[in-house]
Amino acid sequence: MTERKIINDPVFGFIHIPKGLLYDIVCHPVFQRLSRIKQLGLSSVVYPGAQHTRFQHSLGAFHLMSEAITSLKAKGNFIFDSEAEAVQAAILLHDVGHGPFSHVLENTLVAGISHEEISLMLMERINKDLKGQLNLAIQIFKDEYPKRFLHQLVSGQLDMDRLDYLRRDSFYTGVTEGNIGSARIIKMLDVKDDHLVVESKGIYSIENFLTSRRLMYWQVYLHKTSVACEKMLISTLLRAKELASQGMELFASPALRFFLYNRITKEDFYNNPLCLENFIQLDDNDIWTALKVWSNHEDKVLSTLSKGLINRNLFKVEIASTPLSKSQKDKLADQIADHLQIPRKDASYFLSTSTIENNMYKKEDDSIEILFGDGSTKNIADASDMLNISLLSRKVKKHYACYLRFEEVNR
């Protein structure tokens, strides 16, 4: 019997990690870094329980992948042990390229490169340390392996990433609507024509999954207070970068300093090894420590924004069906500049307008196919008798304005 390590997870109970490649991945410093990055970034400003990490999420997704492989093999789908280990390794590493507050970082400290691309670069780096043992995992991750359904388990409509984060985020936020029946969905999975399908008796679990995902997006991931907090952090980091470009001295850890004082593009990531080296040293602690120190900085814009984040003095958010007019934006900017006694051009750091949009199910992307007893398949949007499923594929778009909260501002 293979020796293994056991981790007690509050969502799924005991998670077994076999000694060998998979355990070596979990012990690798690049993977361990995920324990210092929160899964939900700034969502704890709304849901104080949302303190779980990307490390926990990755282990949970790995556990579900192990369950899925066991279930699919039991139904006669032939999966080599090497393929099973590779797809488990791929799901363990699927989020390894996330930085602190993920999408905030992608909009500020680095430009034009996604966390998926950085994940792949880090997988290649770990692969060198593990002497090529991740070759097959990387092929599956890049969707270059002949058995395409293995990639769908890592990245698809019903991948183990989604099944874990919905269960886990629901658990830690206390938003019970997101508590999907992941075990039931996994038991209903099968493969037909190299494509993941769901047995027809699992259709109600899929309806619940899609509905839960929609509710979690609007209640948690796109909650207006979280959006405001994220916009504040983006403004803070952009201001810090502007001051750094002017030669102003700012407190920062060595890794954060590298990204503040250099303009880092996608090309730099691929050509300058220092980018990746500094990236893997960055975690949530670098940002929070900098914000604490910046709260007392002489620059009023930087200190006001930093103080607001540290003390939860957040921007006001207004959501509407139409965007703010230019005159409304100009009026707000004038009031902000007057209130803070800052130059008018700097008021833009305290005012953000944009849109949030979401559609939970795009059948043209990677459809969920329902498998019936006669061997035929039908798309969930056609097979479901719930009107909600077809509504889920309709894009919902909302306009919002985030701005400094103070009594004098009124529209």
Side-chain angles (χ1 to χ4, degrees):
M1 191 172 179
T2 311
E3 192 183 349
R4 57 193 179 174
K5 288 286 181 180
I6 299 173
I7 293 173
N8 193 355
D9 177 62
V11 178
F12 296 121
F14 294 116
I15 295 176
H16 303 271
I17 303 168
K19 279 292 189 75
L21 172 62
L22 298 169
Y23 185 65
D24 290 345
I25 290 170
V26 172
C27 292
H28 196 281
V30 172
F31 188 82
Q32 286 290 319
R33 165 182 164 274
L34 296 178
S35 66
R36 301 187 298 277
I37 296 177
K38 281 186 193 169
Q39 171 73 10
L40 287 181
L42 293 159
S43 291
S44 57
V45 298
V46 183
Y47 300 103
Q51 303 289 340
H52 55 302
T53 63
R54 293 200 175 274
F55 180 86
Q56 291 168 281
H57 160 61
S58 298
L59 288 177
F62 160 79
H63 167 75
L64 293 179
M65 183 65 81
S66 307
E67 298 283 300
I69 293 295
T70 301
S71 179
L72 289 172
K73 284 169 86 170
K75 292 179 181 178
N77 296 291
F78 193 75
I79 301 170
F80 288 108
D81 288 347
S82 58
E83 292 171 333
E85 184 180 62
V87 79
Q88 287 172 308
I91 198 68
L92 266 178
L93 293 168
H94 77 284
D95 265 358
V96 79
H98 272 287
F101 313 106
S102 185
H103 305 296
V104 168
L105 199 76
E106 290 170 19
N107 292 323
T108 52
L109 299 183
V110 297
I113 186 165
S114 67
H115 70 265
E116 289 90 355
E117 291 170 292
I118 299 174
S119 288
L120 193 52
M121 293 175 76
L122 288 173
M123 286 172 80
E124 299 279 8
R125 179 199 159 102
I126 296 168
N127 195 27
K128 280 184 188 167
D129 295 342
L130 299 178
K131 299 180 170 54
Q133 291 183 81
L134 290 177
N135 287 342
L136 185 53
I138 290 169
Q139 265 189 288
I140 291 169
F141 185 81
K142 291 164 75 175
D143 198 12
E144 293 175 355
Y145 190 66
K147 291 184 180 176
R148 303 289 297 279
F149 74 89
L150 292 175
H151 173 76
Q152 286 184 298
L153 288 168
V154 178
S155 179
Q157 285 282 357
L158 293 172
D159 60 38
M160 300 306 112
D161 172 29
R162 286 182 185 180
L163 293 189
D164 178 80
Y165 77 60
L166 286 173
R167 277 286 303 273
R168 190 166 301 277
D169 297 347
S170 167
F171 178 87
Y172 281 100
T173 58
V175 178
T176 54
E177 290 88 345
N179 190 13
I180 57 162
S182 54
R184 170 82 175 163
I185 290 172
I186 286 171
K187 290 290 182 197
M188 293 298 107
L189 289 179
D190 207 341
V191 179
K192 181 178 168 61
D193 300 329
D194 197 29
H195 191 91
L196 272 186
V197 294
V198 180
E199 294 175 17
S200 58
K201 55 190 174 184
I203 193 167
Y204 299 119
S205 298
I206 302 302
E207 291 173 342
N208 178 55
F209 163 78
L210 291 171
T211 306
S212 296
R213 193 161 168 255
R214 177 180 177 274
L215 289 168
M216 285 294 285
Y217 264 85
W218 289 121
Q219 282 187 247
V220 179
Y221 310 129
L222 297 176
H223 191 287
K224 68 175 192 173
T225 306
S226 300
V227 168
C229 203
E230 191 169 297
K231 289 295 171 187
M232 281 183 76
L233 184 53
I234 288 171
S235 286
T236 310
L237 292 173
L238 288 176
R239 180 61 169 184
K241 270 192 82 76
E242 186 189 354
L243 297 175
S245 72
Q246 295 168 4
M248 190 173 285
E249 180 56 32
L250 291 175
F251 172 87
S253 67
L256 181 57
R257 173 172 292 272
F258 177 84
F259 289 100
L260 286 178
Y261 285 85
N262 297 287
R263 185 177 177 274
I264 305 301
T265 65
K266 183 175 181 171
E267 289 68 33
D268 294 320
F269 253 95
Y270 282 102
N271 298 317
N272 182 357
L274 283 176
C275 294
L276 210 56
E277 291 304 318
N278 280 285
F279 183 83
I280 59 180
Q281 294 302 320
L282 264 185
D283 56 46
D284 290 4
N285 301 308
D286 296 75
I287 307 295
W288 283 118
T289 304
L291 289 172
K292 285 197 292 181
V293 178
W294 294 348
S295 294
N296 298 308
H297 196 273
E298 62 189 38
D299 179 74
K300 192 160 191 180
V301 174
L302 185 66
S303 60
T304 303
L305 288 166
S306 300
K307 225 173 264 174
L309 285 162
I310 292 292
N311 298 326
R312 203 185 179 280
N313 203 0
L314 306 179
F315 283 177
K316 182 176 178 62
V317 189
E318 293 183 358
I319 295 178
S321 55
T322 55
L324 279 187
S325 67
K326 185 179 183 304
S327 63
Q328 287 173 316
K329 281 196 274 191
D330 287 343
K331 183 184 175 187
L332 272 172
D334 288 339
Q335 289 176 310
I336 289 166
D338 183 56
H339 179 75
L340 290 178
Q341 295 295 290
I342 57 173
R344 171 68 165 69
K345 65 180 177 62
D346 290 341
S348 61
Y349 285 105
F350 298 91
L351 171 61
S352 171
T353 59
S354 188
T355 58
I356 42 179
E357 57 184 62
N358 206 15
N359 55 334
M360 289 298 95
Y361 181 67
K362 289 189 277 190
K363 70 196 258 196
E364 65 275 11
D365 278 1
D366 179 19
S367 62
I368 298 174
E369 297 292 320
I370 304 299
L371 177 67
F372 293 92
D374 62 0
S376 65
T377 61
K378 204 185 274 190
N379 189 279
I380 179 68
D382 303 318
S384 170
D385 55 9
M386 277 180 69
L387 181 62
N388 287 1
I389 301 299
S390 55
L391 289 176
L392 286 172
S393 37
R394 196 183 66 191
K395 187 170 282 189
V396 178
K397 187 174 186 177
K398 299 179 182 178
H399 297 270
Y400 69 84
C402 292
Y403 55 87
L404 183 72
R405 185 191 296 271
F406 59 98
E407 286 174 12
E408 286 88 336
V409 168
N410 54 68
R411 296 193 0 247

